[in-house]
Amino acid sequence: MKSEATKNMDGYELQRLRERIAAMGEAELEEYRAQLDPDSMGFYGEEDIEDGNNEETDTL
């Protein structure tokens, strides 16, 4: 699954990123995560659409 941050990466680039992250030590991984924009971490693609019905259903 791609995120907003990886939506423009091809399969090769995505695999290289996964390998690079897997090889990081704890301090390096923490530094990498600190530079990421949280708003770009969401899923890429169609968002769930609400039907406008926010009423709770009584199940008793």
Side-chain angles (χ1 to χ4, degrees):
M1 179 163 295
K2 291 192 174 190
S3 71
E4 289 290 332
T6 61
K7 68 183 178 185
N8 295 323
M9 291 184 180
D10 63 27
Y12 177 75
E13 291 172 310
L14 198 54
Q15 182 61 33
R16 296 271 299 148
L17 177 61
R18 287 182 183 137
E19 290 170 359
R20 194 175 116 222
I21 291 171
M24 288 180 181
E26 191 170 326
E28 190 178 11
L29 184 57
E30 190 173 314
E31 185 178 315
Y32 171 77
R33 288 178 175 160
Q35 72 179 347
L36 295 175
D37 174 19
D39 291 334
S40 70
M41 298 303 293
F43 296 116
Y44 174 70
E46 188 175 325
E47 294 184 20
D48 188 24
I49 300 172
E50 292 185 23
D51 64 3
N53 184 358
N54 292 329
E55 296 179 19
E56 292 184 25
T57 305
D58 188 3
T59 58
L60 295 177

